[in-house]
Amino acid sequence: MIRLITRRCTLYTEMFHENAVLNCTWGPREFMKFSPIEHPVVVQLGGNSPENLKKCATICEELGYDEINLNVGCPSERVQEGAFGACLMKEPDLVARIVKEMSNAVQIPVTVKCRLGVDEFDDYDFVKSFITKVATEGGTKHFILHARKAFLKGLDPHQNRTVPPLKYDWVLKLKKEFPDLQVTINGGFKTFDSIKGILTPENGLRGCMVGRAFFENPWLFSDADRTFYGEPNPGYTRREILDLWSDFGTMMMQERPYLSLPMLTKPIVNLFCGEKFNARYRQFLSDPNNFKKCDNNFETFIDTCVELYDELAPGVLDKKPPALEKEPTKEVENAI
């Protein structure tokens, strides 16, 4: 669905653990496959075994991913129990070895996503030393820096995304101290103004990573290609997006019967964030009884939802993305 809104923004997968990649019952080609129209796509991996992650890297390259990202910033309990994610920031030698093994096994870039510190290891010199070690010994050229420290105890994942203070100044200082490295900033960016404000030429950042902001308000990014890349937006209205998603969802349910309804509605559930009657739209999609009333037919289910919302908020479905510069291209529609 994202590619109906922006063609240029780089997409990241969820984090796949090394054991899931190597031992998935379906096999990685089914477990991690994606559509060619989704490029550029970065696969995010987690784990602590250089040998296993080396194998994973080879698999990911064979599957066609554009980059591989090692996540050493996730602080969840599951991650801590497996001794990977943010725990690894305390072991920079191991991270450097993992990245080196992965990089030596593939031709595509291997990057690292991390925090600015973890637990008591939270001063500037710690993160500077971590980056120095991983860059010089591991060979990493691109770091995605979540501009907060991580607490492995006392805070849940949501609190770890909101409670520790943001330190954008540290990220900008690190970029200046490592001018030859590419740095992407992450954390707390929810508006176009905040993103544009940080991505100035003088800051020299590679980019700005957003996660929940896109899920919470995907339509906000319908102007991303024009704003950040100087290219025309895809130009689809939300009516057209839902029509295409209806076809795509129907196809997916036929190909993958194990897919649940929430998995197919999650990408579109916030498509009308900020608009009138957004709650009614969300309620319809979230109620499985509505799907049953449509004879468990996904196309009928989406068409009914569109009709309902069109009656409640005439005109909203047909709003064009901001500053449309040319007619929408149809490559995504044709691919579906």
Side-chain angles (χ1 to χ4, degrees):
M1 194 277 288
I2 294 176
R3 286 297 177 231
L4 298 173
I5 293 177
T6 168
R7 300 279 166 73
R8 289 299 312 276
C9 292
T10 299
L11 306 184
Y12 279 67
T13 70
E14 62 183 315
M15 180 172 62
F16 297 115
H17 187 267
E18 57 187 41
N19 291 336
V21 176
L22 298 176
N23 302 316
C24 176
T25 304
W26 306 327
R29 292 195 175 277
E30 177 67 22
F31 178 52
M32 303 173 67
K33 71 180 181 181
F34 62 98
S35 170
I37 63 174
E38 294 180 81
H39 287 291
V41 186
V42 181
V43 59
Q44 192 172 87
L45 299 177
N48 59 18
S49 166
E51 186 60 33
N52 283 346
L53 286 166
K54 176 182 177 180
K55 294 176 183 177
C56 291
T58 301
I59 291 170
C60 292
E61 184 175 51
E62 291 174 352
L63 290 174
Y65 285 101
D66 298 286
E67 293 183 13
I68 298 167
N69 177 253
L70 179 67
N71 187 323
V72 295
C74 181
S76 73
E77 284 190 19
R78 181 177 63 87
V79 162
Q80 294 175 48
E81 291 170 358
F84 63 105
C87 302
L88 290 183
M89 286 199 72
K90 298 180 181 181
E91 300 185 61
D93 289 323
L94 177 57
V95 175
R97 184 181 162 207
I98 290 172
V99 172
K100 185 175 182 179
E101 290 287 339
M102 294 169 73
S103 297
N104 287 342
V106 297
Q107 298 299 311
I108 58 177
V110 177
T111 67
V112 170
K113 184 175 188 287
C114 63
R115 295 274 183 138
L116 294 184
V118 56
D119 292 337
E120 72 274 17
F121 301 95
D122 62 355
D123 60 29
Y124 180 83
D125 286 340
F126 169 77
V127 67
K128 180 182 176 181
S129 175
F130 176 86
I131 290 175
T132 300
K133 171 72 70 171
V134 177
T136 56
E137 297 186 15
T140 304
K141 303 298 183 185
H142 182 191
F143 288 82
I144 296 89
L145 301 179
H146 188 148
R148 292 184 173 96
K149 67 173 288 185
F151 287 93
L152 298 182
K153 299 294 181 183
L155 297 181
D156 61 30
H158 171 72
Q159 291 170 324
N160 258 302
R161 293 192 301 269
T162 55
V163 173
L166 289 162
K167 297 181 178 180
Y168 296 150
D169 56 322
W170 281 26
V171 176
L172 298 180
K173 184 178 179 181
L174 286 165
K175 173 55 189 173
K176 286 182 170 58
E177 294 212 42
F178 297 94
D180 295 332
L181 295 180
Q182 294 182 328
V183 174
T184 292
I185 194 167
N186 171 233
F189 294 95
K190 296 184 177 181
T191 67
F192 258 30
D193 285 342
S194 64
I195 297 171
K196 288 189 288 187
I198 202 70
L199 293 182
T200 59
E202 55 268 28
N203 286 340
L205 297 172
R206 161 76 178 269
C208 177
M209 175 184 277
V210 296
R212 279 168 178 68
F214 197 102
F215 171 69
E216 292 169 359
N217 188 5
W219 188 246
L220 174 68
F221 293 86
S222 62
D223 194 28
D225 292 358
R226 183 196 66 87
T227 301
F228 298 110
Y229 299 95
E231 298 183 7
N233 300 311
Y236 291 101
T237 66
R238 280 172 281 195
R239 185 190 301 277
E240 291 170 325
I241 289 173
L242 289 172
D243 183 52
L244 290 168
W245 192 253
S246 170
D247 294 340
F248 177 76
T250 300
M251 179 180 69
M252 285 294 98
M253 294 190 87
Q254 292 171 350
E255 289 185 1
R256 309 180 192 182
Y258 53 82
L259 284 179
S260 66
L261 181 64
M263 291 178 70
L264 288 172
T265 57
K266 184 177 180 179
I268 59 172
V269 74
N270 289 318
L271 194 55
F272 294 92
C273 177
E275 301 283 5
K276 290 183 178 179
F277 302 105
N278 172 53
R280 289 285 299 277
Y281 167 80
R282 288 170 52 90
Q283 287 167 3
F284 183 92
L285 288 181
S286 303
D287 188 347
N289 289 321
N290 290 327
F291 187 58
K292 293 177 182 178
K293 291 176 184 177
C294 295
D295 298 322
N296 295 328
N297 183 294
F298 191 74
E299 183 177 1
T300 304
F301 176 63
I302 295 299
D303 287 347
T304 303
C305 182
V306 168
E307 291 174 8
L308 172 66
Y309 190 79
D310 211 11
E311 291 177 3
L312 294 171
V316 174
L317 278 155
D318 298 310
K319 285 182 181 178
K320 292 282 189 179
L324 182 66
E325 295 181 357
K326 72 176 185 179
E327 288 301 308
T329 58
K330 296 298 181 181
E331 59 191 54
V332 175
E333 181 177 352
N334 292 337
I336 292 176

XYZ file of all heavy atoms in Angstrom, residues 1-83:
656
model
N 0.828 -1.199 0.000
C 0.000 0.000 0.000
C 0.866 1.253 0.000
O 0.511 2.271 -0.607
C -0.907 -0.022 1.237
C -2.057 0.985 1.195
S -1.653 2.657 1.707
C -1.467 2.443 3.463
N 2.023 1.205 0.650
C 2.879 2.381 0.744
C 3.277 2.883 -0.641
O 3.369 4.089 -0.870
C 4.126 2.065 1.593
C 3.713 1.789 3.045
C 5.120 3.219 1.539
C 4.860 1.367 3.932
N 3.505 1.963 -1.569
C 3.938 2.372 -2.902
C 2.821 3.048 -3.701
O 3.079 3.616 -4.770
C 4.495 1.170 -3.665
C 5.877 0.757 -3.174
C 6.888 1.862 -3.397
N 8.211 1.532 -2.871
C 8.900 2.319 -2.065
N 8.402 3.465 -1.672
N 10.106 1.967 -1.658
N 1.596 3.020 -3.220
C 0.531 3.799 -3.823
C 0.558 5.239 -3.324
O -0.123 6.101 -3.869
C -0.829 3.173 -3.516
C -1.056 1.761 -4.058
C -2.360 1.190 -3.532
C -1.030 1.753 -5.578
N 1.359 5.494 -2.288
C 1.469 6.820 -1.680
C 2.808 7.474 -1.985
O 2.891 8.663 -2.250
C 1.239 6.717 -0.153
C -0.218 6.318 0.108
C 1.577 8.018 0.555
C -0.556 6.119 1.571
N 3.885 6.709 -1.931
C 5.214 7.220 -2.252
C 6.022 6.148 -2.972
O 6.030 4.991 -2.554
C 5.972 7.676 -0.986
O 7.357 7.896 -1.329
C 5.911 6.645 0.120
N 6.689 6.558 -4.045
C 7.529 5.624 -4.793
C 8.984 5.689 -4.328
O 9.745 4.767 -4.542
C 7.477 5.960 -6.300
C 6.097 5.890 -6.892
C 5.689 4.455 -7.221
N 4.266 4.380 -7.468
C 3.666 4.838 -8.552
N 4.370 5.416 -9.500
N 2.365 4.715 -8.695
N 9.397 6.826 -3.761
C 10.808 7.062 -3.524
C 11.275 6.721 -2.113
O 12.444 6.373 -1.922
C 11.143 8.537 -3.817
C 11.115 8.901 -5.288
C 12.123 8.108 -6.108
N 13.447 8.103 -5.496
C 14.353 9.062 -5.642
N 14.096 10.102 -6.420
N 15.519 8.985 -5.048
N 10.436 6.846 -1.114
C 10.870 6.575 0.258
C 11.348 5.130 0.386
O 10.718 4.208 -0.135
C 9.731 6.826 1.241
S 9.271 8.571 1.396
N 12.462 4.945 1.076
C 12.998 3.603 1.285
C 12.193 2.879 2.349
O 11.902 3.445 3.405
C 14.481 3.682 1.721
O 15.230 4.324 0.682
C 15.049 2.297 1.979
N 11.841 1.633 2.082
C 11.046 0.841 3.023
C 11.947 -0.103 3.813
O 12.905 -0.656 3.273
C 10.003 0.020 2.273
C 9.062 0.786 1.335
C 8.025 -0.167 0.735
C 8.380 1.931 2.068
N 11.623 -0.276 5.082
C 12.310 -1.238 5.943
C 11.321 -2.313 6.364
O 10.154 -2.023 6.664
C 12.856 -0.554 7.207
C 14.163 0.171 7.001
C 14.226 1.305 6.204
C 15.343 -0.267 7.608
C 15.422 1.986 6.004
C 16.542 0.406 7.422
C 16.577 1.524 6.620
O 17.765 2.191 6.419
N 11.767 -3.553 6.407
C 10.916 -4.633 6.900
C 10.857 -4.576 8.423
O 11.600 -3.827 9.070
C 11.479 -6.009 6.498
O 12.693 -6.258 7.240
C 11.755 -6.080 5.009
N 9.988 -5.378 9.009
C 10.080 -5.625 10.433
C 11.380 -6.381 10.693
O 12.026 -6.864 9.767
C 8.890 -6.472 10.895
C 8.832 -7.853 10.235
C 7.612 -8.641 10.657
O 7.321 -8.660 11.856
O 6.973 -9.233 9.781
N 11.770 -6.488 11.954
C 13.010 -7.191 12.265
C 12.790 -8.696 12.239
O 11.909 -9.230 12.908
C 13.541 -6.775 13.646
C 14.844 -7.474 14.020
S 15.594 -6.830 15.541
C 14.317 -7.199 16.749
N 13.604 -9.399 11.450
C 13.574 -10.854 11.390
C 14.740 -11.400 12.210
O 15.896 -11.037 11.965
C 13.708 -11.353 9.950
C 12.590 -10.933 9.038
C 12.830 -10.085 7.962
C 11.297 -11.390 9.240
C 11.807 -9.709 7.111
C 10.266 -11.020 8.399
C 10.517 -10.172 7.330
N 14.444 -12.280 13.150
C 15.518 -12.892 13.933
C 16.226 -13.949 13.093
O 15.621 -14.612 12.240
C 14.956 -13.534 15.207
C 16.012 -14.028 16.140
N 16.486 -15.318 16.120
C 16.710 -13.390 17.125
C 17.416 -15.462 17.052
N 17.578 -14.310 17.661
N 17.504 -14.107 13.359
C 18.313 -15.071 12.592
C 17.705 -16.466 12.589
O 17.692 -17.155 11.559
C 19.737 -15.129 13.167
C 19.790 -15.490 14.642
C 21.189 -15.371 15.238
O 21.904 -14.409 14.920
O 21.545 -16.253 16.032
N 17.161 -16.907 13.724
C 16.578 -18.256 13.788
C 15.316 -18.367 12.948
O 15.041 -19.417 12.360
C 16.270 -18.631 15.245
C 17.524 -18.846 16.065
O 18.589 -19.154 15.519
N 17.431 -18.658 17.371
N 14.541 -17.280 12.897
C 13.322 -17.291 12.085
C 13.666 -17.414 10.607
O 13.000 -18.126 9.851
C 12.510 -16.028 12.341
N 14.718 -16.732 10.191
C 15.122 -16.784 8.788
C 15.624 -18.183 8.423
O 15.263 -18.737 7.379
C 16.222 -15.746 8.501
C 16.721 -15.871 7.057
C 15.716 -14.336 8.774
N 16.443 -18.757 9.309
C 17.089 -20.030 8.986
C 16.201 -21.241 9.234
O 16.400 -22.293 8.622
C 18.379 -20.174 9.800
C 19.454 -19.114 9.534
C 20.640 -19.315 10.464
C 19.899 -19.132 8.080
N 15.206 -21.095 10.130
C 14.435 -22.276 10.535
C 12.940 -22.174 10.257
O 12.171 -23.023 10.716
C 14.639 -22.534 12.036
C 16.112 -22.729 12.379
O 16.833 -23.419 11.679
N 16.550 -22.101 13.473
N 12.513 -21.147 9.527
C 11.088 -20.987 9.255
C 10.544 -22.210 8.517
O 11.146 -22.687 7.546
C 10.856 -19.725 8.432
S 9.145 -19.502 7.943
N 9.400 -22.707 8.961
C 8.781 -23.888 8.358
C 8.489 -23.666 6.878
O 8.656 -24.567 6.049
C 7.467 -24.240 9.085
O 7.742 -24.428 10.468
C 6.846 -25.496 8.511
N 8.054 -22.434 6.525
C 7.702 -22.154 5.135
C 8.942 -21.955 4.268
O 8.862 -22.007 3.047
C 6.841 -20.884 5.046
C 5.637 -20.921 5.904
C 4.887 -22.008 6.224
C 5.037 -19.811 6.576
N 3.839 -21.653 7.040
C 3.913 -20.300 7.277
C 5.309 -18.462 6.656
C 3.081 -19.488 8.046
C 4.492 -17.642 7.408
C 3.397 -18.157 8.098
N 10.072 -21.677 4.904
C 11.273 -21.338 4.155
C 11.340 -19.839 3.933
O 10.299 -19.163 3.833
N 12.539 -19.263 3.866
C 12.681 -17.808 3.776
C 12.065 -17.200 2.527
O 11.632 -16.055 2.540
C 14.202 -17.602 3.810
C 14.789 -18.914 3.409
C 13.834 -19.949 3.918
N 11.998 -17.951 1.439
C 11.450 -17.376 0.214
C 9.962 -17.066 0.354
O 9.454 -16.126 -0.260
C 11.693 -18.306 -0.971
C 13.161 -18.415 -1.343
C 13.393 -19.034 -2.708
N 14.802 -18.998 -3.040
C 15.424 -17.963 -3.557
N 14.733 -16.867 -3.799
N 16.704 -17.999 -3.837
N 9.269 -17.829 1.153
C 7.861 -17.551 1.425
C 7.729 -16.576 2.581
O 6.916 -15.654 2.559
C 7.125 -18.855 1.738
C 5.658 -18.670 2.109
C 4.814 -18.160 0.955
O 5.220 -18.333 -0.205
O 3.747 -17.570 1.217
N 8.553 -16.776 3.591
C 8.493 -16.006 4.825
C 8.866 -14.537 4.606
O 8.292 -13.638 5.219
C 9.448 -16.655 5.841
C 9.541 -15.969 7.165
C 8.416 -15.667 7.910
C 10.782 -15.639 7.696
C 8.511 -15.056 9.154
C 10.889 -15.034 8.940
C 9.750 -14.743 9.658
N 9.816 -14.272 3.700
C 10.371 -12.929 3.562
C 10.205 -12.335 2.167
O 10.794 -11.304 1.865
C 11.875 -12.970 3.896
C 12.183 -13.501 5.277
S 13.957 -13.719 5.533
C 14.529 -12.027 5.490
N 9.400 -12.951 1.330
C 9.290 -12.460 -0.035
C 8.552 -11.123 -0.077
O 7.757 -10.794 0.809
C 8.606 -13.485 -0.921
C 7.122 -13.684 -0.681
C 6.568 -14.731 -1.646
C 5.076 -14.954 -1.460
N 4.552 -15.982 -2.378
N 8.832 -10.379 -1.112
C 8.173 -9.092 -1.301
C 8.007 -8.852 -2.795
O 8.588 -9.558 -3.618
C 8.987 -7.964 -0.650
C 10.365 -7.784 -1.227
C 10.615 -6.822 -2.180
C 11.423 -8.584 -0.795
C 11.884 -6.652 -2.723
C 12.701 -8.427 -1.324
C 12.930 -7.453 -2.292
N 7.216 -7.852 -3.138
C 6.939 -7.570 -4.543
C 8.023 -6.666 -5.129
O 8.532 -5.772 -4.444
C 5.583 -6.877 -4.673
O 5.399 -6.386 -5.981
N 8.364 -6.862 -6.397
C 9.355 -5.992 -7.048
C 8.978 -4.514 -7.018
O 9.860 -3.652 -7.040
C 9.394 -6.514 -8.492
C 8.964 -7.946 -8.386
C 7.947 -7.974 -7.281
N 7.679 -4.203 -6.950
C 7.266 -2.795 -6.935
C 7.579 -2.115 -5.610
O 7.449 -0.901 -5.501
C 5.753 -2.645 -7.239
C 4.910 -3.318 -6.154
C 5.420 -3.183 -8.606
C 3.425 -3.093 -6.312
N 8.012 -2.890 -4.601
C 8.303 -2.311 -3.299
C 9.704 -1.717 -3.183
O 10.005 -1.033 -2.219
C 8.102 -3.364 -2.205
C 6.663 -3.817 -2.052
C 6.486 -4.854 -0.963
O 6.410 -4.465 0.223
O 6.442 -6.053 -1.295
N 10.589 -1.975 -4.144
C 11.939 -1.417 -4.090
C 11.893 0.110 -4.015
O 11.008 0.720 -4.606
C 12.731 -1.826 -5.333
C 13.145 -3.269 -5.360
N 14.078 -3.796 -4.505
C 12.738 -4.294 -6.131
C 14.245 -5.082 -4.774
N 13.424 -5.416 -5.752
N 12.885 0.712 -3.293
C 13.967 0.081 -2.534
C 13.489 -0.433 -1.175
O 12.751 0.240 -0.464
C 14.983 1.218 -2.365
C 14.158 2.462 -2.416
C 13.023 2.185 -3.347
N 13.943 -1.653 -0.838
C 13.550 -2.305 0.410
C 14.793 -2.751 1.175
O 15.674 -3.395 0.620
C 12.651 -3.534 0.157
C 12.139 -4.096 1.477
C 11.487 -3.183 -0.742
N 14.821 -2.404 2.457
C 15.904 -2.825 3.351
C 15.355 -3.882 4.298
O 14.301 -3.683 4.910
C 16.452 -1.639 4.167
C 17.594 -2.097 5.084
C 16.922 -0.527 3.253
N 16.048 -5.004 4.426
C 15.633 -6.037 5.362
C 16.367 -5.816 6.680
O 17.570 -5.590 6.711
C 15.907 -7.451 4.811
C 17.387 -7.668 4.513
C 15.395 -8.524 5.769
N 15.621 -5.876 7.768
C 16.214 -5.660 9.089
C 16.335 -6.999 9.812
O 15.365 -7.743 9.948
C 15.348 -4.705 9.905
C 16.028 -4.207 11.165
C 15.233 -3.109 11.845
O 14.359 -3.382 12.634
N 15.551 -1.860 11.528
N 17.543 -7.292 10.259
C 17.835 -8.552 10.919
C 18.224 -8.330 12.373
O 18.762 -7.286 12.744
C 18.980 -9.277 10.203
C 18.754 -9.657 8.740
C 20.012 -10.299 8.164
C 17.563 -10.606 8.600
N 17.955 -9.350 13.196
C 18.366 -9.337 14.587
C 19.002 -10.665 14.949
O 18.669 -11.706 14.367
N 19.908 -10.639 15.891
C 20.589 -11.853 16.322
C 21.941 -11.525 16.913
O 22.331 -10.348 16.996
N 22.678 -12.564 17.308
C 23.990 -12.320 17.904
C 25.055 -13.301 17.425
O 26.159 -13.322 17.956
C 23.905 -12.353 19.434
C 23.378 -13.689 19.959
O 23.377 -14.700 19.247
N 22.915 -13.686 21.202
N 24.722 -14.113 16.437
C 25.672 -15.094 15.918
C 26.254 -14.616 14.590
O 25.524 -14.519 13.589
C 25.003 -16.453 15.706
O 25.819 -17.310 14.920
N 27.549 -14.314 14.546
C 28.156 -13.893 13.277
C 27.947 -14.907 12.158
O 27.656 -14.529 11.014
C 29.641 -13.739 13.629
C 29.654 -13.452 15.091
C 28.527 -14.259 15.655
N 28.060 -16.191 12.481
C 27.917 -17.220 11.461
C 26.488 -17.293 10.939
O 26.247 -17.369 9.726
C 28.340 -18.576 12.022
C 28.376 -19.701 10.996
C 29.352 -19.438 9.855
O 30.394 -18.798 10.096
O 29.059 -19.856 8.722
N 25.521 -17.283 11.856
C 24.121 -17.343 11.433
C 23.714 -16.110 10.632
O 23.007 -16.205 9.615
C 23.206 -17.492 12.641
C 23.202 -18.905 13.202
O 23.678 -19.834 12.553
N 22.675 -19.058 14.403
N 24.127 -14.945 11.096
C 23.751 -13.715 10.405
C 24.449 -13.600 9.050
O 23.910 -12.992 8.122
C 24.053 -12.501 11.288
C 23.060 -12.341 12.446
C 23.573 -11.359 13.485
C 21.692 -11.882 11.924
N 25.607 -14.188 8.934
C 26.278 -14.266 7.633
C 25.421 -15.077 6.658
O 25.220 -14.690 5.506
C 27.652 -14.905 7.800
C 28.413 -15.138 6.505
C 29.745 -15.814 6.792
C 30.504 -16.139 5.519
N 31.816 -16.805 5.807
N 24.890 -16.211 7.123
C 24.007 -17.030 6.285
C 22.734 -16.258 5.932
O 22.260 -16.313 4.794
C 23.652 -18.328 7.011
C 24.822 -19.268 7.254
C 24.377 -20.482 8.061
C 25.541 -21.409 8.378
N 25.117 -22.549 9.233
N 22.195 -15.554 6.915
C 20.978 -14.765 6.676
C 21.229 -13.691 5.628
O 20.373 -13.424 4.770
C 20.507 -14.113 7.976
S 19.872 -15.262 9.214
N 22.386 -13.056 5.718
C 22.718 -12.000 4.761
C 22.734 -12.543 3.341
O 22.212 -11.916 2.406
C 24.067 -11.381 5.119
N 23.312 -13.717 3.165
C 23.370 -14.343 1.840
C 21.966 -14.625 1.320
O 21.656 -14.373 0.147
C 24.179 -15.651 1.907
O 25.499 -15.372 2.371
C 24.262 -16.301 0.541
N 21.104 -15.134 2.198
C 19.718 -15.412 1.811
C 19.003 -14.125 1.399
O 18.302 -14.079 0.384
C 18.965 -16.103 2.972
C 19.511 -17.519 3.184
C 17.465 -16.137 2.698
C 19.000 -18.193 4.438
N 19.194 -13.071 2.180
C 18.519 -11.804 1.900
C 18.967 -11.209 0.575
O 18.155 -10.645 -0.171
C 18.773 -10.817 3.037
S 17.969 -11.284 4.590
N 20.242 -11.328 0.276
C 20.729 -10.828 -1.006
C 20.115 -11.634 -2.145
O 19.702 -11.073 -3.169
C 22.249 -10.903 -1.058
C 22.831 -10.305 -2.345
C 24.345 -10.263 -2.334
O 24.962 -11.320 -2.042
O 24.903 -9.195 -2.610
N 20.039 -12.949 -1.977
C 19.435 -13.799 -3.015
C 17.960 -13.470 -3.227
O 17.441 -13.601 -4.341
C 19.594 -15.269 -2.625
C 21.030 -15.770 -2.680
C 21.166 -17.184 -2.139
O 20.174 -17.709 -1.590
O 22.264 -17.758 -2.270
N 17.284 -13.033 -2.167
C 15.870 -12.687 -2.272
C 15.653 -11.340 -2.946
O 14.514 -10.988 -3.271
C 15.227 -12.682 -0.883
C 15.052 -14.043 -0.216
C 14.549 -13.891 1.215
C 14.098 -14.916 -1.015
N 16.720 -10.565 -3.118
C 16.605 -9.316 -3.864
C 16.526 -8.049 -3.044
O 16.238 -6.974 -3.593
N 16.775 -8.141 -1.742
C 16.749 -6.926 -0.922
C 17.865 -5.979 -1.343
O 18.934 -6.404 -1.787
C 16.882 -7.277 0.556
C 15.617 -7.860 1.144
C 15.475 -9.231 1.339
C 14.557 -7.035 1.505
C 14.306 -9.769 1.870
C 13.387 -7.561 2.028
C 13.265 -8.926 2.220
O 12.112 -9.454 2.735
N 17.614 -4.681 -1.178
C 18.578 -3.671 -1.599
C 19.669 -3.422 -0.559
O 20.785 -3.056 -0.914
C 17.851 -2.353 -1.884
C 16.849 -2.496 -3.017
O 17.286 -2.586 -4.172
O 15.637 -2.532 -2.737
N 19.339 -3.599 0.703
C 20.294 -3.415 1.790
C 19.914 -4.349 2.931
O 18.793 -4.866 2.993
C 20.292 -1.973 2.329
C 20.799 -0.920 1.388
C 20.825 0.463 2.041
O 20.690 0.555 3.282
O 20.976 1.452 1.313
N 20.869 -4.528 3.845
C 20.624 -5.289 5.073
C 20.933 -4.381 6.250
O 21.969 -3.714 6.272
C 21.516 -6.546 5.138
C 21.203 -7.483 3.973
C 21.328 -7.276 6.468
C 22.224 -8.585 3.777
N 20.027 -4.359 7.214
C 20.226 -3.532 8.400
C 20.254 -4.406 9.643
O 19.345 -5.204 9.872
C 19.111 -2.492 8.528
C 19.232 -1.645 9.775
O 18.461 -1.812 10.717
N 20.190 -0.752 9.796
N 21.304 -4.279 10.435
C 21.408 -4.998 11.699
C 20.834 -4.122 12.802
O 21.322 -3.019 13.051
C 22.864 -5.343 12.010
C 23.096 -6.077 13.341
C 22.486 -7.477 13.312
C 24.587 -6.147 13.664
N 19.796 -4.612 13.463
C 19.145 -3.838 14.528
C 19.815 -4.131 15.868
O 19.702 -5.235 16.397
C 17.651 -4.179 14.584
C 16.886 -3.287 15.551
O 17.374 -2.917 16.611
N 15.667 -2.942 15.182
N 20.487 -3.129 16.410
C 21.048 -3.242 17.758
C 20.486 -2.111 18.620
O 21.176 -1.551 19.482
C 22.593 -3.237 17.761
C 23.124 -4.460 17.060
C 23.154 -1.979 17.112
N 19.217 -1.792 18.379
C 18.590 -0.721 19.135
C 17.281 -1.099 19.790
O 16.744 -0.340 20.600
N 16.742 -2.288 19.463
C 15.450 -2.699 20.016
C 15.609 -3.153 21.464
O 16.442 -4.010 21.753
C 14.855 -3.826 19.183
S 13.240 -4.381 19.772
N 14.813 -2.595 22.406
C 14.980 -2.912 23.822
C 13.914 -3.824 24.423
O 13.806 -3.923 25.651
C 14.886 -1.526 24.468
C 13.854 -0.831 23.624
C 13.963 -1.402 22.229
N 13.104 -4.507 23.607
C 12.000 -5.297 24.159
C 12.506 -6.459 25.009
O 13.652 -6.895 24.884
C 11.121 -5.838 23.025
O 11.784 -6.876 22.332
N 11.634 -6.994 25.853
C 12.017 -8.116 26.722
C 12.390 -9.346 25.909
O 13.326 -10.070 26.256
C 10.860 -8.456 27.675
C 10.708 -7.474 28.830
C 9.724 -7.975 29.878
O 9.453 -9.190 29.896
O 9.237 -7.152 30.671
N 11.664 -9.585 24.823
C 11.972 -10.737 23.977
C 13.384 -10.629 23.416
O 14.128 -11.616 23.348
C 10.958 -10.819 22.831
C 11.171 -12.001 21.905
C 10.074 -12.054 20.851
N 10.103 -10.889 19.999
C 10.851 -10.788 18.896
N 11.648 -11.789 18.560
N 10.814 -9.708 18.153
N 13.748 -9.421 23.041
C 15.083 -9.176 22.514
C 16.136 -9.386 23.593
O 17.187 -9.986 23.368
C 15.160 -7.743 21.939
C 16.596 -7.294 21.784
C 14.438 -7.677 20.595
N 15.833 -8.920 24.803
C 16.791 -9.079 25.901
C 16.998 -10.546 26.249
O 18.121 -10.985 26.507
C 16.294 -8.319 27.129
C 16.246 -6.810 26.945
C 15.639 -6.112 28.150
O 16.007 -6.378 29.285
N 14.691 -5.211 27.901
N 15.909 -11.314 26.255
C 16.023 -12.736 26.570
C 16.888 -13.465 25.548
O 17.587 -14.424 25.871
C 14.622 -13.363 26.624
C 13.791 -12.879 27.815
C 12.336 -13.311 27.714
O 11.983 -13.957 26.697
O 11.557 -12.992 28.630
N 16.853 -12.981 24.303
C 17.659 -13.603 23.255
C 19.033 -12.988 23.117
O 19.814 -13.389 22.250
N 19.347 -12.002 23.970
C 20.663 -11.345 23.970
C 21.018 -10.757 22.602
O 22.108 -10.954 22.076
C 21.745 -12.313 24.440
